[in-house]
Amino acid sequence: MLGLNGTPFQPATLQLIGIPGMQIGHAWVALVFCILYLISIIGNLSILTLVVREPTLHQPMYYFLSMLAVTDLGLSASTLPTMLPFYMLGLRQVAADMCLAQLFFIHTFSFMESGILLAMSFDRFVAICDPLHYATVLTNGRILAMGLGILTKSFVTLFPFPFLVKRLPFCKGSILHHSYCLHPDLMKVACGDTHVNNIYGLFVVIFTYGVDSAFILLSYAWILRAVLAIASQEQRLKVLNTCMSHICAVLAFYVPIIAVSMIHRFWKSAPPVVHVMMSNIYLFVPPMLNPIIYSVKTKEIRRAVLKILYKLQC
């Protein structure tokens, strides 16, 4: 946008756009997102309640699962301030500073989830490859330190983002392509020298998603090697089954990210609705699916749920 003197400036408010072609059916879209939010919030709060209340779940694996649930709640809460007002009340404008704050929290919680999935893969690696030292390696102090390390790393790496965007003028309009604020979306309307933003953004993505996914793959290579060394096929399947929940959670998180990246790089002519829908899947599906995956695939959580239901009936 241009100021009165013809120079670019950053507007006080930005305008959000929902799903292309669905402007008339916003009420139905709002209903869908409300259901997604409810499933995500109830599911993740239930996981946290189970881990806190049930002594049998006071184990490293479930402590990491609690961290994942908190992160998913944070990710849902980060998108909620603009999503629901947009679809339910038709409020399309968002203050620029609020947009930058939302950008920070969305990306921070997303990077935290990647780090927690890496920590959970390390948990599975130790449990399968070195079970005798599991309790001594993954102590409560080390688990807490890992959680704080993931939080610190995500916060520190994302902290410059809002300031790097704040310094840029907007000369390509003030209309964003989602109903929430993301860094790549703001870069499309910014002008001036964006090299620092682009280079730092690429560095952060590689430093988080790239490094985390590489170590997750490495840990599972070692796990697969240990499993193949087991003579009994029945025992192999039993051991691998302990990893299925985590594998499903990793796929639910990384597959949409990879799909968004592939579409952005190799299908630039894709209809806008494709980009918007894939971004929505990337942000909304993992927080909703993770509690379901662990509730269905983890026997101890199912037992804890049944135990609590039995107590309520009595």
Side-chain angles (χ1 to χ4, degrees), residues 22-34 87-88:
M22 296 291 292
Q23 285 78 5
I24 299 177
H26 271 189
W28 292 105
V29 177
L31 178 61
V32 171
F33 280 120
C34 283
Y87 286 108
M88 297 184 73

Side-chain angles (χ1 to χ4, degrees), residues 44-255:
N44 286 293
L45 284 177
S46 299
I47 292 291
L48 286 173
T49 303
L50 286 173
V51 175
V52 170
R53 291 185 56 175
E54 287 301 311
T56 56
L57 300 181
H58 293 175
Q59 302 176 33
M61 173 182 174
Y62 303 107
Y63 292 148
F64 288 124
L65 180 57
S66 298
M67 295 180 191
L68 187 66
V70 171
T71 302
D72 284 336
L73 286 171
L75 189 57
S76 297
S78 298
T79 57
L80 193 144
T82 55
M83 288 286 291
L84 292 188
F86 178 84
Y87 286 108
M88 297 184 73
L89 303 176
L91 300 178
R92 297 176 176 273
Q93 290 191 334
V94 57
D97 290 338
M98 180 182 174
C99 189
L100 294 177
Q102 185 182 51
L103 172 155
F104 171 77
F105 284 110
I106 288 177
H107 288 297
T108 297
F109 282 114
S110 180
F111 289 162
M112 282 180 63
E113 181 147 352
S114 177
I116 292 169
L117 289 173
L118 172 59
M120 295 174 83
S121 72
F122 178 70
D123 167 80
R124 293 297 84 206
F125 166 76
V126 177
I128 293 172
C129 298
D130 195 10
L132 296 178
H133 296 93
Y134 182 73
T136 56
V137 171
L138 289 172
T139 61
N140 291 344
R142 286 176 180 168
I143 293 170
L144 179 60
M146 291 170 71
L148 291 175
I150 293 168
L151 173 61
T152 303
K153 173 186 144 182
S154 302
F155 181 87
V156 170
T157 53
L158 265 297
F159 187 74
F161 265 37
F163 301 100
L164 289 175
V165 176
K166 184 77 173 175
R167 69 185 179 85
L168 295 172
F170 290 171
C171 60
K172 302 174 185 177
S174 60
I175 299 176
L176 305 182
H177 295 86
H178 299 83
S179 46
Y180 43 82
C181 301
L182 296 175
H183 182 258
D185 211 12
L186 285 169
M187 287 298 95
K188 292 178 182 178
V189 297
C191 58
D193 188 3
T194 61
H195 286 88
V196 174
N197 296 68
N198 294 329
I199 293 172
Y200 186 70
L202 179 62
F203 164 76
V204 170
V205 169
I206 294 173
F207 184 61
T208 52
Y209 294 148
V211 172
D212 292 347
S213 59
F215 277 108
I216 289 173
L217 288 173
L218 181 62
S219 66
Y220 272 101
W222 283 98
I223 288 172
L224 186 60
R225 179 183 176 185
V227 169
L228 292 176
I230 299 174
S232 170
Q233 183 175 358
E234 182 180 352
Q235 191 66 20
R236 288 181 190 174
L237 294 175
K238 185 178 179 180
V239 172
L240 281 175
N241 191 51
T242 64
C243 301
M244 286 309 299
S245 299
H246 180 254
I247 291 173
C248 291
V250 169
L251 292 176
F253 181 76
Y254 278 104
V255 168

